[in-house]
Amino acid sequence: MFKSKKYKESAKLIEKSKQYDSSEALDLVVKTAKSNFDETIELHVRLGVDSRHADQQVRGAVVLPNGTGKKVRVLAIAKDDKADEARAAGADYVGDQDMIDKIQKESWFDYDVIITTPNMMGMIGRLGRVLGPKGLMPNPKSGTVTMDIGKAIKDAKAGKVEYRLDKTNIIHCPIGKASFGTEKLQENFDTLMDAILKARPAAAKGQYVKSCVVASTMGPGIKINTSRM
């Protein structure tokens, strides 16, 4: 794997075998984000659960206090007064059958999240094969299927992130941009980790948080000490 000069310079600042306190790790991740664009800072958490079992799933959503630094494009699929509520809340696109047709016929994905009401899920369900692999399928657990569509849209715009296990039992989630600085990243980190810890399934046995790493888009991973979690 090719590693750039900037990556190698950043790697020199990190002790590979060391597990850092979160504040020290976040300070380092800002320093190692050396690209000429504002790098996203991501958190990667490996959990001691088995995602193949329904009773060991870890999934939810949380609004980060400082947002993600990314402009979120919201597609609202709703009718009548709920469509009006979505427009008032700042949805970028609003519609019902017309939007579903556009996705089906044009493979249209110029949005980051779909928020809808429960009565529309029968129609949206047909898009499962298209939206599912892209992580765009609305889900009540992530708060994207709700009657309070206005609040859901405002939360998404404010920096709501969804966390969920992948097939290797790891959660990957953005916690902000390098330009946020250590303090704001720490607040976002604490909020997300608190949500993940509270989401521990009753069926989970042994050590819940196996490992925790932060990294910038182009930078090396920095291990965080999980013993205090």
Side-chain angles (χ1 to χ4, degrees):
M1 177 183 168
F2 174 75
K3 293 178 180 177
S4 68
K5 183 179 177 181
K6 287 180 180 178
Y7 181 97
K8 290 175 181 176
E9 288 174 359
S10 295
K12 290 177 184 178
L13 301 174
I14 301 161
E15 292 180 45
K16 283 188 177 181
S17 60
K18 183 175 178 179
Q19 291 192 342
Y20 295 87
D21 286 339
S22 61
S23 58
E24 194 176 1
L26 292 168
D27 187 47
L28 272 172
V29 83
V30 171
K31 289 177 180 175
T32 56
K34 295 179 179 292
S35 295
N36 56 3
F37 64 94
D38 195 5
E39 295 184 49
T40 296
I41 308 301
E42 286 199 347
L43 174 64
H44 308 275
V45 186
R46 184 164 67 91
L47 299 180
V49 296
D50 189 341
S51 61
R52 293 174 297 177
H53 299 290
D55 62 352
Q56 294 188 45
Q57 289 292 325
V58 179
R59 181 176 186 175
V62 65
V63 178
L64 300 179
N66 299 299
T68 62
K70 179 183 177 182
K71 184 179 183 294
V72 179
R73 299 164 300 172
V74 176
L75 164 60
I77 298 181
K79 286 184 175 181
D80 305 324
D81 60 328
K82 288 298 173 183
D84 294 336
E85 185 180 333
R87 291 187 187 94
D92 298 271
Y93 309 100
V94 182
D96 46 84
Q97 187 63 55
D98 58 328
M99 292 296 174
I100 293 170
D101 290 343
K102 187 174 175 69
I103 294 168
Q104 280 184 318
K105 296 173 182 177
E106 301 176 24
S107 296
W108 176 60
F109 301 111
D110 293 337
Y111 44 87
D112 303 297
V113 61
I114 298 176
I115 297 173
T116 189
T117 49
N119 64 321
M120 299 299 294
M121 280 305 292
M123 297 163 64
I124 297 171
R126 293 174 234 150
L127 300 174
R129 288 184 180 179
V130 179
L131 298 176
K134 293 184 176 292
L136 290 168
M137 192 67 183
N139 189 294
K141 290 182 180 177
S142 62
T144 49
V145 181
T146 174
M147 286 304 291
D148 197 351
I149 197 166
K151 181 180 184 301
I153 291 165
K154 287 175 182 175
D155 284 348
K157 292 280 188 180
K160 185 176 186 177
V161 294
E162 182 181 357
Y163 57 88
R164 61 186 298 183
L165 290 173
D166 67 9
K167 291 180 180 178
T168 60
N169 305 314
I170 299 175
I171 289 172
H172 309 275
C173 222
I175 57 169
K177 296 284 188 178
S179 60
F180 281 20
T182 305
E183 188 176 333
K184 287 185 176 180
L185 288 171
Q186 183 76 60
E187 289 173 357
N188 283 356
F189 171 88
D190 290 342
T191 298
L192 179 56
M193 280 308 305
D194 187 51
I196 292 171
L197 292 172
K198 286 179 178 175
R200 176 175 180 152
K205 306 297 180 187
Q207 185 179 354
Y208 180 50
V209 180
K210 291 283 190 179
S211 67
C212 185
V213 174
V214 287
S216 62
T217 306
M218 305 297 289
I222 303 165
K223 298 173 186 175
I224 292 178
N225 188 345
T226 61
S227 62
R228 298 181 183 179
M229 295 181 185

